[in-house]
Amino acid sequence: MATTLESLQLDALWMPFTANRAFKRAPRLLVSAKEMHYTTSDGRQVLDGVAGLWCVNAGHCREPIVAAIRAEAGQLDFAPGFQMGHPLAFELATRLAGILPGDLDHVFFTNSGSEAVDTALKIALAYHHANGEPERIRFVGRARGYHGVGFGGISVGGIENNRKQFGARLPAIDHLPDTHDLARNAFSCGQPTHGADRADALEAIIAERGAETIAAVIIEPVAGSTGVLIPPVGYLERLRAICDRHGILLIFDEVITGFGRLGSAFAATAFGVTPDIMTVAKGLTNGAVPMGAAIVRSAIHDTLIDRTPSGIELFHGYTYSGHPLAAAAGLGTLDVYEDEGLFARAAALAPYFAQAVHGLRGLPHVIDVRSLGLVAGIELEARPDRPGTRAFDVFLDCFEGGALIRTTGDTIALSPPLIISREQIDELVDAVTRGIQRVA
Ligand SMILES: Cc1ncc(COP(=O)(O)O)c(C=O)c1O
């Protein structure tokens, strides 16, 4: 039954990362979705330019995924994951290990990206503990990093707004500088040329703190939530080499970049740099059932398991780790990715997408366009007195005009489902063009 705005009570729901008062004055409600489109509560079709929230890489309500969830819901609604198991969780872990690069072969399931990050940080600490280096307790994150909203994630993350209301955070954290360099890299298509040397800040942190105190470095290979920051050529390789030299684990948070966004299964495969631990979520189940994972290289997993006295090796887990419905959704999603060759499709479409978004250069207030695979950031000059509002006004204009985009600060992010057609890319970019032209 269609939900009407008139009959809906909005007060009781406290909405996440939302200006609740403004939203409830002018709500935007989605009631159904199919492939590239949402339907709104007033019956409008909206082209999804952001895969929901960077999750729905295979497009909405895909039949194989829906069928897999439906079948499992009627067969096994819940199975305890502590000292018990069920087949689909093992099957999904095995399938993932098959597409992950290198020996990233051991999968710990969570229910979200935030939990995946906290799990990865805890595994890093537990690994060093098992490996006879318990003094390695420090983490290095990066400015403008987003790693979800757990206390671990906001601590290693580099977004002050996500921390300032909460006081407490993990105690031993340093941050690398971000890689954004508008002066030298504006309007880069693909990886920007300048900035590999920003990885050297890690050497400075090591010199100050001592490598023997640092457990891990965590970064998003492409920072998504803070405005699509693509790593400069050579930057990830440099970070990897420094970590290797000092026995520091490298964690890639691939919650956004995983599952085809860059035209390859993972950013690690796209850039040819393999981390020690990877976090994923979102596209893992096509957003259909919440699920995340921390994925660990064999050597780390084996050290932790083998060097721990008999009994439980890692005192960590969630009631819903590897939930049957999420595992079913994950398997259905991997089937769709594979059967339809969606990662290769994203790679094939990337040049067309890049050409379309780079056509926005020259519009009023556009100070940068950056793109890689099927993700793009379009940065607008901030209004001097009200940062963030210009891009948000474009978002509102696009939504009214039938396209869903996302904004972070004054950057517009586009990350459509990998099934988008060329015509729909044109439609999306036209909507953004009109929005930018209309918004002063
Ligand atoms: C890189 C990254 N890590 C972690 C998260 C947190 O994921 P979740 O919202 O599922 O907790 C996000 C969410 O956007 C993300 O982009």
Side-chain angles (χ1 to χ4, degrees), residues 268-289:
T269 34
F271 296 121
V273 177
T274 306
D276 300 298
I277 305 178
M278 181 191 287
T279 52
V280 295
K282 299 193 187 259
L284 169 58
T285 55
N286 207 37
V289 182

Side-chain angles (χ1 to χ4, degrees), residues 6-136:
E6 292 71 42
S7 65
L8 202 63
Q9 302 289 314
L10 302 182
D11 197 46
L13 178 66
W14 190 340
M15 298 173 69
F17 275 123
T18 296
N20 276 255
R21 287 164 296 185
F23 181 94
K24 289 169 187 179
R25 280 196 298 271
R28 297 172 291 279
L29 291 189
L30 306 171
V31 294
S32 67
K34 190 68 192 162
E35 297 180 349
M36 282 300 303
H37 289 91
Y38 278 111
T39 304
T40 63
S41 56
D42 52 353
R44 293 186 306 114
Q45 291 287 291
V46 175
L47 180 67
D48 184 359
V50 281
L53 200 47
W54 322 79
C55 329
V56 188
N57 291 4
H60 292 274
C61 290
R62 299 301 309 276
E63 197 43 43
I65 304 170
V66 174
I69 298 168
R70 196 176 277 140
E72 191 64 7
Q75 161 121 1
L76 183 66
D77 53 355
F78 175 78
F82 304 171
Q83 307 287 12
M84 296 294 294
H86 71 94
L88 294 194
F90 290 95
E91 207 181 309
L92 180 58
T94 306
R95 286 275 298 277
L96 286 170
I99 60 167
L100 282 153
D103 61 348
L104 280 163
D105 283 342
H106 296 277
V107 182
F108 195 107
F109 285 120
T110 68
N111 308 293
S112 67
S114 299
E115 290 178 357
V117 166
D118 276 10
T119 299
L121 299 178
K122 288 172 81 174
I123 288 175
L125 294 173
Y127 161 75
H128 290 302
H129 190 266
N131 201 32
E133 293 188 281
E135 65 286 358
R136 282 192 188 263

Side-chain angles (χ1 to χ4, degrees), residues 112-114 117 146-148 220 225 253 255-256 281-282:
S112 67
S114 299
V117 166
Y146 181 64
H147 301 292
E220 303 158 86
S225 299
D253 184 347
V255 165
I256 278 178
K282 299 193 187 259

Side-chain angles (χ1 to χ4, degrees), residues 319-395:
T319 298
Y320 301 120
S321 283
H323 189 281
L325 299 198
L331 287 164
T333 298
L334 292 188
D335 285 345
V336 175
Y337 290 151
E338 199 177 302
D339 294 348
E340 300 181 10
L342 287 187
F343 304 161
R345 185 177 196 283
L349 214 47
Y352 189 87
F353 180 71
Q355 198 177 14
V357 293
H358 280 272
L360 296 167
R361 185 177 186 167
L363 289 179
H365 312 299
V366 173
I367 57 173
D368 190 19
V369 178
R370 34 192 190 263
S371 69
L372 186 72
L374 287 189
V375 62
I378 299 119
E379 186 163 345
L380 307 182
E381 194 175 15
R383 290 171 176 146
D385 46 339
R386 288 172 299 147
T389 58
R390 179 170 277 143
F392 195 73
D393 285 348
V394 177
F395 160 81

Side-chain angles (χ1 to χ4, degrees), residues 106-427:
H106 296 277
V107 182
F108 195 107
F109 285 120
T110 68
N111 308 293
S112 67
S114 299
E115 290 178 357
V117 166
D118 276 10
T119 299
L121 299 178
K122 288 172 81 174
I123 288 175
L125 294 173
Y127 161 75
H128 290 302
H129 190 266
N131 201 32
E133 293 188 281
E135 65 286 358
R136 282 192 188 263
I137 54 154
R138 303 193 68 88
F139 290 107
V140 179
R142 188 169 63 186
R144 296 185 70 161
Y146 181 64
H147 301 292
V149 292
F151 275 105
I154 61 171
S155 303
V156 292
I159 306 176
E160 194 45 39
N161 270 350
N162 290 354
R163 296 194 286 236
K164 67 183 182 200
Q165 291 176 299
F166 310 117
R169 61 187 79 165
L170 292 185
I173 308 285
D174 291 291
H175 286 89
L176 298 166
D178 64 65
T179 59
H180 197 34
D181 186 345
L182 263 187
R184 293 193 297 171
N185 289 327
F187 300 103
S188 294
C189 190
Q191 284 189 269
T193 312
H194 304 285
D197 54 338
R198 293 203 183 181
D200 296 342
L202 181 56
E203 291 282 18
I205 293 170
I206 291 168
E208 187 186 346
R209 305 292 190 187
E212 70 285 356
T213 69
I214 302 175
V217 171
I218 178 165
I219 55 155
E220 303 158 86
V222 173
S225 299
T226 57
V228 186
L229 309 180
I230 298 166
V233 174
Y235 173 86
L236 295 175
E237 291 83 345
R238 211 136 145 180
L239 265 191
R240 176 73 272 184
I242 300 171
C243 287
D244 284 346
R245 264 202 306 282
H246 296 282
I248 297 168
L249 300 182
L250 180 60
I251 304 172
F252 276 1
D253 184 347
E254 294 229 27
V255 165
I256 278 178
T257 51
F259 304 101
R261 178 57 49 206
L262 305 182
S264 192
F266 301 96
T269 34
F271 296 121
V273 177
T274 306
D276 300 298
I277 305 178
M278 181 191 287
T279 52
V280 295
K282 299 193 187 259
L284 169 58
T285 55
N286 207 37
V289 182
M291 185 178 228
I295 303 161
V296 180
R297 292 178 77 166
S298 289
I300 295 165
H301 169 267
D302 294 351
T303 299
L304 228 164
I305 299 285
D306 296 344
R307 297 206 186 158
T308 304
S310 65
I312 293 170
E313 299 94 355
L314 186 68
F315 282 83
H316 180 71
Y318 303 95
T319 298
Y320 301 120
S321 283
H323 189 281
L325 299 198
L331 287 164
T333 298
L334 292 188
D335 285 345
V336 175
Y337 290 151
E338 199 177 302
D339 294 348
E340 300 181 10
L342 287 187
F343 304 161
R345 185 177 196 283
L349 214 47
Y352 189 87
F353 180 71
Q355 198 177 14
V357 293
H358 280 272
L360 296 167
R361 185 177 186 167
L363 289 179
H365 312 299
V366 173
I367 57 173
D368 190 19
V369 178
R370 34 192 190 263
S371 69
L372 186 72
L374 287 189
V375 62
I378 299 119
E379 186 163 345
L380 307 182
E381 194 175 15
R383 290 171 176 146
D385 46 339
R386 288 172 299 147
T389 58
R390 179 170 277 143
F392 195 73
D393 285 348
V394 177
F395 160 81
L396 293 175
D397 186 277
C398 284
F399 187 70
E400 283 309 306
L404 183 66
I405 64 169
R406 181 153 176 77
T407 65
T408 158
D410 273 296
T411 298
I412 295 165
L414 300 180
S415 58
L418 314 180
I419 60 166
I420 193 169
S421 68
R422 289 177 177 226
E423 294 70 31
Q424 288 163 335
I425 290 175
D426 294 343
E427 196 186 319

